[in-house]
Amino acid sequence: KCGLLVKPLQRMTVGGILTAGAFFVSGFLEMEMMKTYAKIPAVGFSDIHFMNNIPCHVSLQLSNSTGLVHEQAIDALENMVLRDLEPGTYSLDMEVSSTCLPAILSQRTGQVEVLTHDKEVTAVFLGVDGGTVLPSVLDGYDDPEKDHDANGRMKVVYDMGNFGKTTNLTLKSESDESVSFKLQPNGVYGSNYSKIHTGNYEILMDDLSLGNLQVDQGGVYSLIVARDPETNIHRSLTHTLTTPNSVHIFWLLPQIFVITVGEIMFSVTGLEFSYSQAPESMKSVLQAAWLLTTAFGNVIVILVAEAKAFDDRASEFFMFACLMLVDMGIFMWLAYRYTPRYVRSEADNGMQMKNGVANINFKNDTDL
């Protein structure tokens, strides 16, 4: 009605460009989603998850038989994951400054041997034992994999000290749902991972409240329960190993809308154009050839996916978007030079058959 895109080739060109735009939208959305993906070590690599229970800045040095491998610092009461290490045996040295807990600490350096394994995340707890800083390697491994039922996952890392008895730790939600753990004395331990429904939980150690825990969809957490080195009173910390889901599902709608409009303008118009421009005896053949291009496109997708040329899907989406723009550039160049096939109607022949079969060699045959 506005006099725009009146020709089929024009509509097909715009439809192809919109399709490329949908791939760009998918790529940017994938980049946002990648920030929340579980980061699992690849084959031939291992990670170390450090959890700092000391209210001070801690310096870390990781070395092996070849010398210093990595030097890192971790902030007070924070956690950090050291990624892409070769599996093997490492020596971990930790140190805090002289201004850290001056009235409590007498030994400000600590050392522990850390054994890492292929595709696994080793957990290390940085704490205080008496007047000495002490790094401790937990049994088992951390698992950053998200829950497949859209819940949260959590393990409890605890240092009860010489508490002398087993302690009950309970997470109680606002809907009275509860999850319980048994905490053993005399050492640093870690529980198995438990599936936790999303929501806000009160943390109770026996009858003592240690604060609250917010569990979000897809998050993987380490709940630290240990004595505060400054006050010698038990308290809780929450460390996030895998970021919760943050991209709403409704962000799928823009790319679905754009690619739907592009598909209508390109595919439907292309089918009509191939039918109208084909000779009478080849209309079905050309329509089948048009649909065959979908099969070729699927083959390209399979080849790209199996070749594993990209480390992430966002790069694949951007590659398909760029290929689509290149295709549309070539398509516009061909369309500009295309001469449409004009199909003459009976009115163009000057004939209008009323009955019988008209002989075009004798015009007045149609005047009967």
Side-chain angles (χ1 to χ4, degrees):
K1 292 182 179 181
C2 298
L4 300 175
L5 306 178
V6 294
K7 297 181 179 179
L9 292 177
Q10 293 175 341
R11 294 195 293 272
M12 292 172 65
T13 301
V14 174
I17 294 174
L18 287 175
T19 303
F23 277 110
F24 278 117
V25 173
S26 299
F28 288 119
L29 183 62
E30 179 68 16
M31 290 178 65
E32 287 299 314
M33 294 177 62
M34 285 169 57
K35 298 176 182 178
T36 67
Y37 286 171
K39 295 178 174 59
I40 301 172
V43 176
F45 294 95
S46 61
D47 294 348
I48 301 178
H49 180 205
F50 297 100
M51 294 167 282
N52 186 12
N53 188 53
I54 306 174
C56 306
H57 191 81
V58 179
S59 299
L60 303 173
Q61 287 187 335
L62 197 67
S63 57
N64 58 13
S65 57
T66 62
L68 182 64
V69 175
H70 199 87
E71 189 170 11
Q72 188 72 39
I74 181 171
D75 291 331
L77 306 178
E78 294 293 335
N79 69 317
M80 176 195 69
V81 180
L82 194 58
R83 304 189 186 279
D84 299 333
L85 298 170
E86 293 184 2
T89 303
Y90 294 89
S91 176
L92 174 66
D93 293 278
M94 65 174 290
E95 182 180 3
V96 297
S97 67
S98 59
T99 58
C100 175
L101 305 177
I104 298 174
L105 295 180
S106 57
Q107 179 67 34
R108 302 182 176 278
T109 60
Q111 187 180 63
V112 70
E113 185 179 271
V114 182
L115 180 61
T116 64
H117 293 83
D118 188 37
K119 300 191 296 182
E120 301 289 357
V121 181
T122 303
V124 177
F125 180 80
L126 307 177
V128 173
D129 184 15
T132 303
V133 295
L134 181 66
S136 303
V137 180
L138 275 65
D139 293 334
Y141 303 100
D142 280 0
D143 183 9
E145 187 70 43
K146 290 175 177 282
D147 181 70
H148 298 296
D149 294 328
N151 297 299
R153 297 178 70 236
M154 190 199 72
K155 70 179 293 186
V156 179
V157 177
Y158 57 94
D159 180 9
M160 303 306 295
N162 299 320
F163 206 62
K165 64 175 183 177
T166 300
T167 306
N168 293 319
L169 183 75
T170 304
L171 304 181
K172 188 175 182 180
S173 70
E174 297 173 349
S175 59
D176 289 334
E177 178 184 355
S178 63
V179 182
S180 298
F181 301 88
K182 297 290 186 179
L183 309 186
Q184 303 175 9
N186 305 322
V188 180
Y189 300 96
S191 70
N192 295 324
Y193 278 93
S194 298
K195 179 174 71 173
I196 308 293
H197 293 156
T198 58
N200 188 269
Y201 292 80
E202 184 182 9
I203 305 169
L204 298 172
M205 190 178 74
D206 290 336
D207 294 327
L208 176 64
S209 177
L210 300 182
N212 293 284
L213 169 69
Q214 177 64 39
V215 177
D216 294 321
Q217 185 184 64
V220 180
Y221 306 93
S222 296
L223 176 62
I224 311 300
V225 177
R227 293 182 183 273
D228 186 338
E230 290 184 295
T231 63
N232 203 33
I233 298 175
H234 283 95
R235 51 121 164 93
S236 65
L237 297 172
T238 303
H239 291 159
T240 301
L241 181 60
T242 299
T243 305
N245 302 340
S246 59
V247 179
H248 201 282
I249 193 171
F250 280 133
W251 280 108
L252 293 173
L253 293 180
Q255 59 181 323
I256 293 174
F257 175 78
V258 173
I259 200 168
T260 300
V261 175
E263 182 77 9
I264 292 172
M265 297 184 69
F266 187 84
S267 183
V268 177
T269 306
L271 279 171
E272 185 272 335
F273 181 76
S274 64
Y275 182 86
S276 65
Q277 297 298 296
E280 293 291 337
S281 61
M282 295 188 66
K283 290 185 180 297
S284 297
V285 174
L286 283 187
Q287 284 198 340
W290 173 267
L291 295 174
L292 188 62
T293 59
T294 303
F296 288 134
N298 292 336
V299 170
I300 293 174
V301 172
I302 292 173
L303 292 176
V304 172
E306 291 300 322
K308 294 180 172 54
F310 301 98
D311 295 332
D312 54 78
R313 298 190 64 185
S315 300
E316 288 187 18
F317 292 147
F318 290 136
M319 183 206 68
F320 288 131
C322 293
L323 288 178
M324 197 69 189
L325 289 178
V326 172
D327 291 343
M328 286 303 99
I330 299 173
F331 184 83
M332 284 189 291
W333 182 78
L334 294 174
Y336 181 76
R337 288 162 175 76
Y338 180 75
T339 301
R341 174 176 176 265
Y342 179 68
V343 181
R344 292 189 300 173
S345 63
E346 292 178 353
D348 293 334
N349 289 331
M351 300 179 299
Q352 184 174 3
M353 186 172 63
K354 296 179 180 178
N355 51 38
V357 179
N359 188 340
I360 62 175
N361 294 315
F362 299 94
K363 180 177 180 181
N364 48 358
D365 277 357
T366 63
D367 297 329
L368 297 176

